[in-house]
Amino acid sequence: MDVLQLMDEWGPEKVVCVSDRRTGMKGVLVIDNTARGMGKGGTRMSPSVTVAEIARLARVMTWKWAGVDLFFGGAKAGIVFDPTSPDKEAALRAFARKLSNEVPREYVLGLDMGLTERDAAIVQDELSDRGAMMGAPAQLGGLPYDELGVTGFGVAEVADELMLLPGKRVAIQGFGAVGAAAAKRFAELGAVVVAISSVHGTLVDADGLDVARLLKLREESGDLAVKEYGTVRELGAELRVPCDVLVPAALQDVIDADLAQELDTTLVIEGANLPTSVGAQEVLAARGITVVPDFIANAGGVVAAAFGMDARYSPFPVNPATVLDAVSAKLRANAANVLVEARNRGTTPHVAARELAQERVLDAMKLKGRVA
């Protein structure tokens, strides 16, 4: 593809592609917009990573940081490699070395699909820099996002702000780090989780699933937990289950305009990045179904990352309770504000949230003389 075609008035400012002959690793870093601060965003590893995908996600990070009004810029990185390969560590080390000019001066890596807390420790070791990657294990002074479940926690907090959750029915697509943490927090807040899915199928129980049992099975069996729990239905059933709150927390582009006509819910909280199409958002708005945009609802990770960035060279560990309190307060306030703005502007929450974020980024670009 022609990388120049990715560039518009916002960015990206820099696209760096790297490769390593010995491991076969290929990778890309996209720094989208740094008007409000240095580039910060997750790093994913998958055999199917593309430059366009990473550029799209880097743009989401630009709006996400601006949406929560924290001062970092949008960026994202991707490694074209199989995360289950026995050569994963060698590929990860090669990727870090190849980007040593940019990391950590212009971009700090973070955890995303295919990478773990141990991988963060490996990158820190390879570059001899604690500040090179966020999400390292607590034993190394890091803030373990997945262990805390900050993104899923924030998703449930947003739902509770907009709809008092005790007794409400919740359906969750995805039982990874975000979906599992969301299920746990929804249960703690008194909601009834009626559907959960993983790549192995969908569990549905109108009377409510046993979330504690499911979480225990996940610790033992990973994505297979749904099959260990009971009889599964086809994938996609979780999106059509009657519920009060629907949480797409798996992949992007899962709800299009046609599927949006079938949803039987009151509130959609986007746990995954880019799960709904523009057409779907318009259909849902016309049907009176509220959708909280991804870069508002799943921003718990960036709030936690901000704490991690602030403390990355400190000998003192971050207090997890402080992080969770901040995630709750920040995301609840932002979600409520975006819905008010959507009503005032006569548009969808996605458009209103993006306009708010763009206004903040544009102000920073003007102040720095990047635009007239």
Side-chain angles (χ1 to χ4, degrees):
M1 67 170 298
D2 185 351
V3 173
L4 295 176
Q5 294 301 312
L6 295 173
M7 297 174 181
D8 60 19
E9 69 270 30
W10 304 106
E13 297 172 4
K14 192 173 196 178
V15 179
V16 182
C17 293
V18 297
S19 65
D20 180 68
R21 293 176 183 174
R22 189 176 185 87
T23 61
M25 178 279 302
K26 297 178 182 178
V28 61
L29 164 64
V30 178
I31 298 176
D32 186 58
N33 188 298
T34 60
R36 287 171 56 91
M38 69 173 290
K40 180 72 190 80
T43 308
R44 60 176 46 188
M45 178 182 285
S46 166
S48 61
V49 164
T50 67
V51 174
E53 169 194 0
I54 299 304
R56 187 182 183 196
L57 292 169
R59 178 60 51 83
V60 171
M61 290 306 303
T62 295
W63 306 144
K64 189 175 289 190
W65 282 116
V68 295
D69 205 14
L70 294 172
F71 292 91
F72 287 105
K76 199 81 174 181
I79 308 169
V80 186
F81 205 80
D82 183 355
T84 66
S85 168
D87 298 321
K88 177 184 183 182
E89 180 176 328
L92 187 60
R93 288 182 180 274
F95 180 73
R97 286 196 305 274
K98 298 289 184 178
L99 286 177
S100 59
N101 287 336
E102 288 77 22
V103 176
R105 188 170 62 87
E106 297 180 64
Y107 170 70
V108 173
L109 292 88
L111 297 182
D112 200 336
M113 182 176 68
L115 296 185
T116 66
E117 291 171 5
R118 183 178 182 276
D119 295 325
I122 292 297
V123 169
Q124 291 182 356
D125 179 68
E126 182 63 30
L127 297 181
S128 300
D129 193 329
R130 277 186 62 198
M133 187 167 185
M134 296 293 95
Q139 296 93 320
L140 296 178
L143 185 63
Y145 308 149
D146 286 352
E147 182 182 323
L148 292 175
V150 289
T151 303
F153 174 89
V155 164
E157 291 291 306
V158 167
D160 189 56
E161 176 68 21
L162 304 180
M163 175 189 292
L164 294 179
L165 286 177
K168 297 298 192 300
R169 300 161 301 159
V170 178
I172 302 172
Q173 182 190 47
F175 202 43
V178 177
K184 179 177 183 291
R185 187 58 178 162
F186 274 118
E188 291 171 350
L189 291 169
V192 180
V193 179
V194 296
I196 281 180
S197 69
S198 79
V199 293
H200 296 288
T202 303
L203 290 169
V204 177
D205 187 337
D207 295 323
L209 297 165
D210 185 340
V211 172
R213 181 182 163 217
L214 258 173
L215 291 171
K216 187 173 187 303
L217 288 171
R218 182 178 180 271
E219 289 179 4
E220 300 167 355
S221 307
D223 285 337
L224 282 168
V226 295
K227 282 194 170 182
E228 297 288 336
Y229 183 94
T231 303
V232 296
R233 293 170 56 177
E234 73 282 358
L235 283 174
E238 72 280 6
L239 297 173
R240 296 175 173 85
V241 170
C243 59
D244 300 297
V245 182
L246 175 63
V247 181
L251 302 172
Q252 60 195 48
D253 301 320
V254 295
I255 300 176
D256 60 16
D258 291 336
L259 181 55
Q261 293 283 7
E262 301 179 41
L263 300 189
D264 187 359
T265 189
T266 302
L267 180 64
V268 177
I269 308 289
E270 295 189 335
N273 287 327
L274 307 168
T276 60
S277 69
V278 174
Q281 294 157 19
E282 293 171 349
V283 168
L284 292 170
R287 295 184 59 206
I289 297 173
T290 299
V291 183
V292 181
D294 49 1
F295 59 95
I296 300 298
N298 69 15
V302 303
V303 175
F307 278 91
M309 288 288 287
D310 190 50
R312 60 190 171 135
Y313 293 118
S314 172
F316 301 102
V318 179
N319 182 349
T322 300
V323 175
L324 293 176
D325 287 347
V327 168
S328 177
K330 194 74 169 173
L331 269 60
R332 284 173 178 263
N334 276 359
N337 181 54
V338 162
L339 296 190
V340 169
E341 286 291 331
R343 286 194 293 271
N344 290 343
R345 298 178 186 222
T347 188
T348 66
H350 279 81
V351 172
R354 192 170 296 109
E355 287 177 351
L356 281 170
Q358 287 176 342
E359 288 163 8
R360 290 169 179 165
V361 173
L362 184 59
D363 283 345
M365 293 171 72
K366 288 179 177 178
L367 287 169
K368 290 185 172 182
R370 296 187 180 184
V371 295

